[in-house]
Amino acid sequence: MDNKEKINILLVDDRPENLLALEAIIEHDDFNLIKATSGEEALKCLLKHDFAAILLDVQMPGIDGFATAKIIKAREKTKNIPILFITANYMDSEHIFTGYSVGAIDYILKPFDPTILKAKVEGFANLYKLNKQLIHQADRLREKTKEIEDANLELSKAAAELSVSEALATVISETSIDTMVVIDEHGMVLKVNPAVEKMFNYIEDELVNQPLTVLFSNEKAKLSIENILKTIKNVNHLLGYENLYEVTASRKDGTTFPVEIQIGKRYVQNRSLIAFTIRDITKKKQDQEKITHMAFHDSLTNLPNRRRFNEQLAIKLNEARQSYQPLVIMYIDMDRFKYINDSLGHMMGDRLLQEIANRLSERVRKTDLVARVGGDEFTILLPGTDRENALEIAEGIFKAFKSPFNIDNYELFLTACIGISTFPYDGEDSQVLLRNADAALYRAKEQGKNQYKVFHTGMNIQSYRTFIMQNDLRKAIEREELTLVYQPKVEIDSGKVKSAEALLRWNHPNWGMISPAEFIPLAEETGQIVEIGSWVLRQACEQSKAWKAAGFMPVPISVNFSAQQFLQKDLMENTKRILRETDVSPELIEVEITESMLLGNGEIITRTLNQLRKMGMKISIDDFGTGYSSLSYLNRLPLDTLKIDRTFIQEISESSKSKSLISAIISLAHGLNMKVVAEGVETEEQLKFLKLHQCQEAQGYLFSPPVLPKDFEGFLTHHQKETNLRKGIIYLDNKVIRPKGGEKTAAAAVNNPEGGPSQQILVAALERTKKIYSISSREMDVFKFLVNGLSNKEISDELFISEHTVKNHITRIFQKLAVSDRLQAMAKVYQACIEEGDHLRA
């Protein structure tokens, strides 16, 4: 049928996706679905079309569902159109009564049952069609009976209308899934619909002439029904949608279930008839409980989530205030969880999180609350607990984590860092306590793995700098702030450059050159080391290719790999792709790893190293002797080179024990057919000792610091020449440069290679702050200690003044700086450092 013959259904919802969903469910060949996105648009549609039913969203901007329905019912043309309210919220009785009072036939809650929704719409469509047919038949009847007197015509019309009304009532009653019961004013059942048998297991004959309370045997429910009947006894007219009650109903077998009842009352031929509509809300209740649980619990671990934690924290904090009891918040973050998640997959990570949740829950009391608030972040709320007991619980958590997590065939070891804050000492409201626990956690992670820290008020400029640096590091590659420098590895016997080690530097726009020792741990903590490592490998390959294109002999380059890179599933594919795209032979790339990387990840790293070695790449063990030295891994790993750590080399002139260790390491490497490279060679004495004990290669400031590629080409130019490198002469761009300052200068360059905010900048920044904000000398004494992270008590001890005086000084400093806390004061100093650094560089 065309649109003129189709039945119009109006769908009103301000969200297009909801309209599409409704259209998909009730679409029918006989229906013409007209959509409106607001109450205003719906009212315009009603001026153009006649509708069988309206599906109306309650919550809409502009005119909402209730106001729209009220206008529809107020218009003569539209007042009889059935309205079904559709809402996503569980509404209280007052709102539901409002909906029914403005003309709603029914409510449908989201997520709705498509079958029920479709059946209801089709039922109204059939009623609409039936009504149209009846009207059409009445019109034909009037045409054929024009000669009949007007009185008979009116009588016939009234009879037809009564017939339609009865038919509609019968259709609704017979097809409704709700139980409908008609009683007299004494509460005796007169009639029931077929749904009563399915809902209550009674047949009609068993209920007729029985009191209605037979369906409500529960004493509380029975009393409620009796009170309802008493209340409406003297009411002449009562619409069903004006009353909605929730009670407990009883089946024939005695089992009970929750129901909603609606009541209507009419007088017919001086007789009072009361209609009860009873709806089973068991599933609705279950869904509500499920939704409530889901809203306040983590779906993976079934622990309370952040919302529930914050709710309980507010409650417990109020109780603690009233009872003058302490309260502790623990903020917990897992160490190395990301490595496991990335290497073994998210499913294994999810199972590990579930085990972590179990262990944490086992270490606390029933009155405590463990919540999962992030990926691998948990919080614990400890009411009535002081700091001492909190530390015992923290130790208990560490003890619980000492045992491995056995999942499938994996034995996983995991540690955690914990930040602790205590009410009322570390804050008196929930936000401050949470922030301080988070700050304590951050400091714990700064000091390594498996640590806990109790919050105190000290915060130093370095912590603030680390926070800023962590954010800036994310954009370092994109902004081209990272560079590679190259330090030559020199053959001790000939003095020739044999290869180079690529070393990473970060030229920060505000802080200048930053040492890798400072930003690499941050990159590992945030997971950015994987992207950075891939960038380093590509840059090193591009440089090797560039030197080859410039006519130099092929230069082997060693690149440092992080443990996180080995845990990436696509490491091999990524490495092969880089070598292929840069057209560099794998033999020209050497992978350097440290001993500490092997702890806990030995199996995965060994497997990957074997694959890299099979490709043709060389493998070197860096910083040998400082980690977890083991003969077993030297024998197991496919190693080509062993690098002696600089700490042993620097002690050659001071410790005979270091000499013995170096000699033993060289002999061990030769016995395993490995090449030996000494790191950090800075004096002729060190070089002489290494040559005497047959160490093949050395690198260090005696030969050259790490230099830019264009400077390194000076070494390549003189690669075939007899050089004086062992005397400290360096060839750079055909110029001879002699290192100045000797050993101390070299060591200083290692510790601070142009890097970090120097003390000079910080002092100048503080002086600048003092002048700008008119801070007195005594206030400045306090401010310097504050910037360096001392607490009020520690400042008091240093300056031999009372804590009260310290607090007054800090208050005045904050007033002059126009800040409210230490963090904002840090920001002022940090900005001054940047400005001072820019000034010095200019």
Side-chain angles (χ1 to χ4, degrees):
M1 59 175 63
D2 57 32
N3 283 349
K4 292 183 178 180
E5 297 175 332
K6 288 185 177 182
I7 298 173
N8 293 328
I9 306 293
L10 179 59
L11 311 179
V12 187
D13 198 302
D14 63 309
R15 301 187 64 172
E17 62 269 28
N18 291 342
L19 291 173
L20 289 174
L22 290 170
E23 183 179 19
I25 291 171
I26 66 175
E27 187 177 17
H28 194 283
D29 290 340
D30 292 342
F31 294 170
N32 178 31
L33 302 180
I34 297 175
K35 293 172 283 187
T37 59
S38 66
E40 296 89 337
E41 188 178 348
L43 294 173
K44 291 179 182 179
C45 292
L46 285 164
L47 295 175
K48 300 178 182 179
H49 306 284
D50 186 17
F51 293 95
I54 301 173
L55 277 63
L56 181 59
D57 185 24
V58 173
Q59 295 179 333
M60 294 186 295
I63 303 178
D64 63 11
F66 291 151
T68 303
K70 193 172 182 179
I71 294 171
I72 292 171
K73 290 300 179 181
R75 292 179 177 175
E76 186 64 25
K77 182 181 176 181
T78 61
K79 67 180 182 180
N80 293 322
I81 300 175
I83 298 176
L84 281 80
F85 274 139
I86 298 177
T87 179
N89 295 327
Y90 174 68
M91 306 180 72
D92 56 27
S93 298
E94 181 180 349
H95 285 81
I96 293 175
F97 291 160
T98 301
Y100 283 118
S101 68
V102 297
I105 293 296
D106 202 354
Y107 269 90
I108 297 178
L109 297 181
K110 302 174 185 175
F112 41 72
D113 188 323
T115 303
I116 294 176
L117 176 61
K118 188 172 183 179
K120 286 181 178 288
V121 172
E122 289 178 353
F124 286 119
N126 290 334
L127 291 175
Y128 176 84
K129 189 186 299 183
L130 178 60
N131 189 45
K132 288 293 184 181
Q133 291 175 353
L134 291 172
I135 293 172
H136 180 67
Q137 291 173 0
D139 289 339
R140 291 181 61 189
L141 182 61
R142 282 195 301 273
E143 292 174 359
K144 292 181 180 181
T145 58
K146 286 182 181 180
E147 66 279 7
I148 303 176
E149 295 180 357
D150 291 342
N152 290 334
L153 180 60
E154 289 298 324
L155 182 60
S156 298
K157 184 178 179 181
E161 290 176 350
L162 180 59
S163 177
V164 171
S165 177
E166 291 176 350
L168 288 174
T170 301
V171 167
I172 293 172
S173 176
E174 296 295 328
T175 59
S176 176
I177 61 172
D178 297 332
T179 292
M180 297 182 179
V181 182
V182 180
I183 62 172
D184 61 19
E185 58 186 0
H186 303 295
M188 304 301 290
V189 176
L190 302 176
K191 184 176 179 58
V192 296
N193 71 338
V196 73
E197 184 173 355
K198 184 176 181 181
M199 187 178 295
F200 289 92
N201 300 328
Y202 286 106
I203 61 175
E204 183 175 6
D205 291 343
E206 292 176 312
L207 292 176
V208 173
N209 297 324
Q210 296 294 321
L212 178 66
T213 51
V214 73
L215 301 177
F216 304 93
S217 59
N218 177 277
E219 288 300 323
K220 185 176 179 181
K222 186 180 294 186
L223 183 61
S224 297
I225 295 298
E226 290 174 350
N227 289 334
I228 290 170
L229 293 174
K230 289 179 183 178
T231 301
I232 67 173
K233 188 171 184 180
N234 298 319
V235 177
N236 294 330
H237 186 76
L238 187 67
L239 297 176
Y241 56 77
E242 291 177 348
N243 299 274
L244 186 67
Y245 303 91
E246 186 176 314
V247 295
T248 300
S250 304
R251 299 185 182 90
K252 185 177 180 180
D253 59 7
T255 57
T256 59
F257 60 102
V259 297
E260 283 180 348
I261 60 173
Q262 291 174 283
I263 309 167
K265 183 177 180 181
R266 292 287 189 279
Y267 272 95
V268 180
Q269 296 179 353
N270 295 324
R271 185 180 181 187
S272 176
L273 296 178
I274 302 170
F276 272 73
T277 299
I278 305 172
R279 175 170 296 173
D280 186 346
I281 58 171
T282 302
K283 188 175 185 306
K284 178 181 174 182
K285 285 282 190 182
Q286 292 171 346
D287 290 344
Q288 288 172 354
E289 292 173 1
K290 185 177 180 180
I291 290 170
T292 301
H293 184 84
M294 290 171 62
F296 289 98
H297 288 78
D298 171 47
S299 59
L300 177 63
T301 62
N302 205 36
L303 289 177
N305 58 12
R306 187 186 297 274
R307 180 185 295 177
R308 174 52 61 89
F309 181 84
N310 290 337
E311 177 189 80
Q312 289 299 307
L313 174 58
I315 295 172
K316 297 300 180 183
L317 195 56
N318 188 49
E319 292 176 357
R321 289 193 191 97
Q322 294 176 357
S323 60
Y324 302 100
Q325 291 292 317
L327 175 146
V328 169
I329 294 175
M330 285 186 175
Y331 214 131
I332 305 174
D333 185 78
M334 300 300 120
D335 302 323
R336 295 180 63 254
F337 174 80
K338 187 177 187 303
Y339 305 161
I340 296 172
N341 203 43
D342 290 345
S343 58
L344 300 181
H346 293 287
M347 291 185 65
M348 185 66 69
D350 288 348
R351 292 184 60 186
L352 179 57
L353 286 172
Q354 291 170 340
E355 291 298 321
I356 292 169
N358 292 337
R359 290 199 186 181
L360 290 176
S361 300
E362 291 170 357
R363 302 305 302 185
V364 299
R365 305 163 301 182
K366 290 183 178 180
T367 54
D368 301 329
L369 179 71
V370 180
R372 182 187 177 210
V373 295
D376 61 341
E377 295 179 352
F378 297 81
T379 52
I380 300 180
L381 179 61
L382 304 169
T385 303
D386 56 21
R387 283 176 178 165
E388 294 302 320
N389 289 331
L391 296 183
E392 292 179 7
I393 293 173
E395 292 287 356
I397 291 172
F398 287 161
K399 184 177 180 181
F401 276 49
K402 285 183 178 179
S403 301
F405 292 87
N406 296 302
I407 302 177
D408 290 342
N409 297 322
Y410 293 93
E411 189 177 63
L412 305 175
F413 290 88
L414 200 66
T415 56
C417 282
I418 303 175
I420 301 171
S421 67
T422 307
F423 169 83
Y425 313 109
D426 301 327
E428 297 191 1
D429 66 72
S430 58
Q431 293 304 314
V432 173
L433 287 169
L434 283 169
R435 185 172 67 243
N436 290 343
D438 193 21
L441 172 64
Y442 185 79
R443 290 177 188 164
K445 293 184 76 66
E446 277 187 328
Q447 297 186 15
K449 300 176 176 62
N450 207 37
Q451 300 279 337
Y452 65 77
K453 285 294 173 186
V454 178
F455 177 81
H456 68 85
T457 55
M459 176 177 287
N460 57 47
I461 190 67
Q462 185 60 31
S463 296
Y464 186 81
R465 163 184 162 84
T466 301
F467 173 76
I468 297 298
M469 191 183 301
Q470 198 171 39
N471 290 327
D472 291 348
L473 185 57
R474 298 184 182 278
K475 302 175 182 178
I477 294 179
E478 178 185 336
R479 294 174 176 172
E480 298 183 351
E481 296 169 2
L482 298 180
T483 56
L484 287 185
V485 292
Y486 298 87
Q487 188 172 39
K489 297 180 187 178
V490 179
E491 189 174 59
I492 294 177
D493 286 339
S494 66
K496 295 180 180 179
V497 175
K498 303 297 291 183
S499 60
E501 179 179 2
L503 298 167
L504 185 63
R505 295 290 185 266
W506 180 16
N507 187 12
H508 191 278
N510 296 321
W511 293 110
M513 199 64 71
I514 299 176
S515 168
E518 190 173 6
F519 72 82
I520 289 296
L522 285 178
E524 291 178 334
E525 180 182 338
T526 59
Q528 295 168 262
I529 192 65
V530 175
E531 181 185 1
I532 292 174
S534 180
W535 180 88
V536 168
L537 178 60
R538 182 176 290 277
Q539 290 298 112
C541 289
E542 292 284 0
Q543 188 58 62
S544 177
K545 182 180 179 181
W547 281 333
K548 180 180 178 182
F552 295 109
M553 294 289 289
V555 183
I557 298 176
S558 60
V559 177
N560 292 279
F561 271 38
S562 165
Q564 284 197 41
Q565 289 176 265
F566 283 96
L567 297 177
Q568 297 302 304
K569 294 180 180 180
D570 60 350
L571 173 63
M572 291 305 301
E573 290 75 8
N574 186 49
T575 302
K576 290 177 182 178
R577 183 175 64 256
I578 291 173
L579 292 172
R580 183 175 63 253
E581 291 173 356
T582 56
D583 193 24
V584 172
S585 171
E587 288 76 12
L588 293 177
I589 301 298
E590 182 176 48
V591 174
E592 290 196 12
I593 64 170
T594 60
E595 294 179 85
S596 58
M597 286 171 52
L598 301 171
L599 184 64
N601 303 299
E603 182 180 343
I604 296 172
I605 292 178
T606 300
R607 182 170 62 250
T608 307
L609 288 176
N610 279 311
Q611 293 173 334
L612 293 172
R613 180 70 177 280
K614 190 175 180 180
M615 285 172 54
M617 300 174 75
K618 303 296 184 183
I619 309 298
S620 172
I621 187 79
D622 196 12
D623 299 338
F624 183 79
T626 61
Y628 301 86
S629 302
S630 170
L631 294 178
S632 63
Y633 80 70
L634 287 178
N635 186 50
R636 185 176 71 252
L637 295 177
L639 300 175
D640 298 285
T641 304
L642 188 152
K643 299 184 72 175
I644 304 175
D645 186 68
R646 68 179 65 250
T647 56
F648 294 106
I649 305 302
Q650 290 170 355
E651 294 176 359
I652 283 177
S653 60
E654 302 172 1
S655 171
S656 59
K657 184 181 292 186
S658 291
K659 292 181 179 179
S660 298
L661 285 172
I662 293 171
S663 177
I665 291 172
I666 294 173
S667 298
L668 174 64
H670 288 168
L672 294 173
N673 199 28
M674 288 191 289
K675 181 174 65 178
V676 183
V677 178
E679 296 182 291
V681 178
E682 298 182 356
T683 68
E684 288 287 347
E685 180 186 359
Q686 295 167 355
L687 184 63
K688 183 178 179 180
F689 177 83
L690 293 168
K691 182 177 181 181
L692 179 65
H693 288 81
Q694 298 180 344
C695 178
Q696 291 102 321
E697 295 181 11
Q699 68 181 101
Y701 277 73
L702 179 61
F703 308 110
S704 171
V707 295
L708 294 171
K710 63 182 180 61
D711 296 326
F712 191 85
E713 290 173 5
F715 294 106
L716 302 181
T717 301
H718 297 274
H719 184 78
Q720 302 299 326
K721 295 184 179 181
E722 186 67 33
T723 68
N724 291 315
L725 288 174
R726 295 189 299 281
K727 296 180 182 179
I729 300 175
I730 305 171
Y731 289 86
L732 298 177
D733 293 336
N734 298 321
K735 299 177 183 178
V736 179
I737 300 175
R738 297 181 181 274
K740 298 179 180 179
E743 202 171 339
K744 292 183 180 179
T745 302
V750 171
N751 292 331
N752 186 21
E754 310 174 55
S758 68
Q759 189 67 19
Q760 178 188 357
I761 294 177
L762 179 57
V763 170
L766 287 171
E767 286 300 318
R768 177 193 288 254
T769 305
K770 177 181 178 181
K771 292 178 181 178
I772 293 173
Y773 298 101
S774 302
I775 299 175
S776 69
S777 298
R778 194 53 171 166
E779 290 169 351
M780 203 64 202
D781 292 337
V782 173
F783 193 33
K784 288 177 182 177
F785 284 120
L786 182 147
V787 167
N788 283 300
L790 274 67
S791 66
N792 289 9
K793 185 178 187 308
E794 290 168 334
I795 298 174
S796 169
D797 294 339
E798 291 288 339
L799 297 178
F800 301 101
I801 57 178
S802 68
E803 285 189 59
H804 179 72
T805 303
V806 171
K807 185 176 180 181
N808 288 339
H809 281 312
I810 292 175
T811 300
R812 286 194 294 273
I813 292 169
F814 286 177
Q815 289 172 348
K816 291 179 179 181
L817 295 177
V819 300
S820 59
D821 57 33
R822 290 183 178 225
L823 185 61
Q824 294 176 0
M826 292 295 166
K828 294 276 188 180
V829 178
Y830 175 74
Q831 184 60 38
C833 283
I834 293 175
E835 294 169 358
E836 189 63 31
D838 291 341
H839 174 70
L840 291 176
R841 284 193 287 274

PDB file of all heavy atoms in Angstrom, residues 48-65:
ATOM      1  N   LYS A  48      -0.192  17.924  10.267  1.00  0.00           N
ATOM      2  CA  LYS A  48      -0.208  17.439   8.884  1.00  0.00           C
ATOM      3  C   LYS A  48      -0.780  16.030   8.751  1.00  0.00           C
ATOM      4  O   LYS A  48      -1.316  15.680   7.708  1.00  0.00           O
ATOM      5  CB  LYS A  48       1.225  17.427   8.327  1.00  0.00           C
ATOM      6  CG  LYS A  48       1.883  18.785   8.307  1.00  0.00           C
ATOM      7  CD  LYS A  48       3.315  18.667   7.800  1.00  0.00           C
ATOM      8  CE  LYS A  48       4.038  20.004   7.814  1.00  0.00           C
ATOM      9  NZ  LYS A  48       5.432  19.871   7.334  1.00  0.00           N
ATOM     10  N   HIS A  49      -0.631  15.216   9.775  1.00  0.00           N
ATOM     11  CA  HIS A  49      -0.967  13.794   9.647  1.00  0.00           C
ATOM     12  C   HIS A  49      -1.872  13.334  10.777  1.00  0.00           C
ATOM     13  O   HIS A  49      -1.926  13.938  11.846  1.00  0.00           O
ATOM     14  CB  HIS A  49       0.309  12.936   9.662  1.00  0.00           C
ATOM     15  CG  HIS A  49       1.327  13.334   8.648  1.00  0.00           C
ATOM     16  ND1 HIS A  49       1.214  13.040   7.308  1.00  0.00           N
ATOM     17  CD2 HIS A  49       2.496  14.033   8.796  1.00  0.00           C
ATOM     18  CE1 HIS A  49       2.264  13.521   6.667  1.00  0.00           C
ATOM     19  NE2 HIS A  49       3.069  14.130   7.549  1.00  0.00           N
ATOM     20  N   ASP A  50      -2.525  12.203  10.502  1.00  0.00           N
ATOM     21  CA  ASP A  50      -3.325  11.512  11.508  1.00  0.00           C
ATOM     22  C   ASP A  50      -2.518  10.293  11.941  1.00  0.00           C
ATOM     23  O   ASP A  50      -2.041   9.525  11.103  1.00  0.00           O
ATOM     24  CB  ASP A  50      -4.677  11.103  10.916  1.00  0.00           C
ATOM     25  CG  ASP A  50      -5.595  10.527  11.965  1.00  0.00           C
ATOM     26  OD1 ASP A  50      -5.338  10.720  13.164  1.00  0.00           O
ATOM     27  OD2 ASP A  50      -6.573   9.849  11.587  1.00  0.00           O
ATOM     28  N   PHE A  51      -2.369  10.078  13.240  1.00  0.00           N
ATOM     29  CA  PHE A  51      -1.485   9.003  13.722  1.00  0.00           C
ATOM     30  C   PHE A  51      -2.274   7.962  14.516  1.00  0.00           C
ATOM     31  O   PHE A  51      -3.198   8.295  15.262  1.00  0.00           O
ATOM     32  CB  PHE A  51      -0.371   9.574  14.613  1.00  0.00           C
ATOM     33  CG  PHE A  51       0.593  10.442  13.866  1.00  0.00           C
ATOM     34  CD1 PHE A  51       0.427  11.817  13.839  1.00  0.00           C
ATOM     35  CD2 PHE A  51       1.658   9.873  13.180  1.00  0.00           C
ATOM     36  CE1 PHE A  51       1.323  12.615  13.147  1.00  0.00           C
ATOM     37  CE2 PHE A  51       2.548  10.662  12.497  1.00  0.00           C
ATOM     38  CZ  PHE A  51       2.376  12.044  12.471  1.00  0.00           C
ATOM     39  N   ALA A  52      -1.806   6.711  14.362  1.00  0.00           N
ATOM     40  CA  ALA A  52      -2.391   5.611  15.142  1.00  0.00           C
ATOM     41  C   ALA A  52      -1.789   5.561  16.539  1.00  0.00           C
ATOM     42  O   ALA A  52      -2.442   5.114  17.477  1.00  0.00           O
ATOM     43  CB  ALA A  52      -2.160   4.289  14.427  1.00  0.00           C
ATOM     44  N   ALA A  53      -0.520   5.970  16.666  1.00  0.00           N
ATOM     45  CA  ALA A  53       0.141   5.951  17.971  1.00  0.00           C
ATOM     46  C   ALA A  53       1.340   6.883  17.920  1.00  0.00           C
ATOM     47  O   ALA A  53       1.879   7.175  16.854  1.00  0.00           O
ATOM     48  CB  ALA A  53       0.591   4.535  18.340  1.00  0.00           C
ATOM     49  N   ILE A  54       1.755   7.339  19.121  1.00  0.00           N
ATOM     50  CA  ILE A  54       2.923   8.211  19.251  1.00  0.00           C
ATOM     51  C   ILE A  54       3.870   7.584  20.271  1.00  0.00           C
ATOM     52  O   ILE A  54       3.476   7.285  21.399  1.00  0.00           O
ATOM     53  CB  ILE A  54       2.518   9.618  19.723  1.00  0.00           C
ATOM     54  CG1 ILE A  54       1.521  10.251  18.735  1.00  0.00           C
ATOM     55  CG2 ILE A  54       3.750  10.515  19.890  1.00  0.00           C
ATOM     56  CD1 ILE A  54       0.942  11.569  19.223  1.00  0.00           C
ATOM     57  N   LEU A  55       5.137   7.344  19.855  1.00  0.00           N
ATOM     58  CA  LEU A  55       6.183   6.871  20.760  1.00  0.00           C
ATOM     59  C   LEU A  55       7.015   8.083  21.125  1.00  0.00           C
ATOM     60  O   LEU A  55       7.702   8.643  20.259  1.00  0.00           O
ATOM     61  CB  LEU A  55       7.070   5.805  20.099  1.00  0.00           C
ATOM     62  CG  LEU A  55       6.516   4.358  20.138  1.00  0.00           C
ATOM     63  CD1 LEU A  55       5.211   4.270  19.371  1.00  0.00           C
ATOM     64  CD2 LEU A  55       7.537   3.381  19.602  1.00  0.00           C
ATOM     65  N   LEU A  56       6.937   8.495  22.373  1.00  0.00           N
ATOM     66  CA  LEU A  56       7.432   9.816  22.775  1.00  0.00           C
ATOM     67  C   LEU A  56       8.503   9.689  23.850  1.00  0.00           C
ATOM     68  O   LEU A  56       8.281   9.082  24.900  1.00  0.00           O
ATOM     69  CB  LEU A  56       6.248  10.646  23.306  1.00  0.00           C
ATOM     70  CG  LEU A  56       6.545  12.080  23.756  1.00  0.00           C
ATOM     71  CD1 LEU A  56       7.137  12.898  22.627  1.00  0.00           C
ATOM     72  CD2 LEU A  56       5.252  12.728  24.252  1.00  0.00           C
ATOM     73  N   ASP A  57       9.698  10.250  23.561  1.00  0.00           N
ATOM     74  CA  ASP A  57      10.784  10.271  24.546  1.00  0.00           C
ATOM     75  C   ASP A  57      10.456  11.297  25.627  1.00  0.00           C
ATOM     76  O   ASP A  57       9.944  12.382  25.330  1.00  0.00           O
ATOM     77  CB  ASP A  57      12.103  10.644  23.840  1.00  0.00           C
ATOM     78  CG  ASP A  57      13.284  10.568  24.791  1.00  0.00           C
ATOM     79  OD1 ASP A  57      13.190   9.837  25.790  1.00  0.00           O
ATOM     80  OD2 ASP A  57      14.298  11.237  24.527  1.00  0.00           O
ATOM     81  N   VAL A  58      10.737  10.982  26.886  1.00  0.00           N
ATOM     82  CA  VAL A  58      10.417  11.874  27.995  1.00  0.00           C
ATOM     83  C   VAL A  58      11.396  13.036  28.065  1.00  0.00           C
ATOM     84  O   VAL A  58      11.010  14.192  28.130  1.00  0.00           O
ATOM     85  CB  VAL A  58      10.415  11.101  29.330  1.00  0.00           C
ATOM     86  CG1 VAL A  58      10.249  12.081  30.495  1.00  0.00           C
ATOM     87  CG2 VAL A  58       9.293  10.088  29.340  1.00  0.00           C
ATOM     88  N   GLN A  59      12.689  12.705  28.019  1.00  0.00           N
ATOM     89  CA  GLN A  59      13.699  13.735  28.253  1.00  0.00           C
ATOM     90  C   GLN A  59      14.223  14.262  26.930  1.00  0.00           C
ATOM     91  O   GLN A  59      14.955  13.577  26.237  1.00  0.00           O
ATOM     92  CB  GLN A  59      14.859  13.174  29.086  1.00  0.00           C
ATOM     93  CG  GLN A  59      14.418  12.771  30.488  1.00  0.00           C
ATOM     94  CD  GLN A  59      15.574  12.202  31.289  1.00  0.00           C
ATOM     95  OE1 GLN A  59      16.505  11.671  30.722  1.00  0.00           O
ATOM     96  NE2 GLN A  59      15.486  12.290  32.604  1.00  0.00           N
ATOM     97  N   MET A  60      13.822  15.511  26.614  1.00  0.00           N
ATOM     98  CA  MET A  60      14.277  16.153  25.374  1.00  0.00           C
ATOM     99  C   MET A  60      14.528  17.625  25.665  1.00  0.00           C
ATOM    100  O   MET A  60      13.884  18.213  26.551  1.00  0.00           O
ATOM    101  CB  MET A  60      13.202  16.038  24.274  1.00  0.00           C
ATOM    102  CG  MET A  60      12.925  14.613  23.808  1.00  0.00           C
ATOM    103  SD  MET A  60      11.780  14.582  22.401  1.00  0.00           S
ATOM    104  CE  MET A  60      10.283  15.245  23.158  1.00  0.00           C
ATOM    105  N   PRO A  61      15.476  18.226  24.960  1.00  0.00           N
ATOM    106  CA  PRO A  61      15.655  19.674  25.109  1.00  0.00           C
ATOM    107  C   PRO A  61      14.442  20.424  24.553  1.00  0.00           C
ATOM    108  O   PRO A  61      13.692  19.896  23.727  1.00  0.00           O
ATOM    109  CB  PRO A  61      16.925  19.950  24.268  1.00  0.00           C
ATOM    110  CG  PRO A  61      16.991  18.815  23.298  1.00  0.00           C
ATOM    111  CD  PRO A  61      16.410  17.630  24.007  1.00  0.00           C
ATOM    112  N   GLY A  62      14.266  21.636  25.025  1.00  0.00           N
ATOM    113  CA  GLY A  62      13.094  22.400  24.579  1.00  0.00           C
ATOM    114  C   GLY A  62      11.839  21.887  25.281  1.00  0.00           C
ATOM    115  O   GLY A  62      11.778  21.740  26.504  1.00  0.00           O
ATOM    116  N   ILE A  63      10.814  21.552  24.504  1.00  0.00           N
ATOM    117  CA  ILE A  63       9.586  20.990  25.079  1.00  0.00           C
ATOM    118  C   ILE A  63       9.836  19.510  25.346  1.00  0.00           C
ATOM    119  O   ILE A  63      10.097  18.737  24.423  1.00  0.00           O
ATOM    120  CB  ILE A  63       8.397  21.152  24.113  1.00  0.00           C
ATOM    121  CG1 ILE A  63       8.194  22.638  23.761  1.00  0.00           C
ATOM    122  CG2 ILE A  63       7.136  20.572  24.713  1.00  0.00           C
ATOM    123  CD1 ILE A  63       7.072  22.877  22.785  1.00  0.00           C
ATOM    124  N   ASP A  64       9.774  19.089  26.623  1.00  0.00           N
ATOM    125  CA  ASP A  64      10.041  17.685  26.924  1.00  0.00           C
ATOM    126  C   ASP A  64       8.795  16.836  26.638  1.00  0.00           C
ATOM    127  O   ASP A  64       7.751  17.325  26.138  1.00  0.00           O
ATOM    128  CB  ASP A  64      10.494  17.523  28.375  1.00  0.00           C
ATOM    129  CG  ASP A  64       9.433  17.927  29.375  1.00  0.00           C
ATOM    130  OD1 ASP A  64       8.260  18.143  28.963  1.00  0.00           O
ATOM    131  OD2 ASP A  64       9.747  18.014  30.561  1.00  0.00           O
ATOM    132  N   GLY A  65       8.917  15.523  26.928  1.00  0.00           N
ATOM    133  CA  GLY A  65       7.832  14.604  26.599  1.00  0.00           C
ATOM    134  C   GLY A  65       6.542  14.917  27.320  1.00  0.00           C
ATOM    135  O   GLY A  65       5.449  14.843  26.739  1.00  0.00           O
TER     136      GLY A  65
END
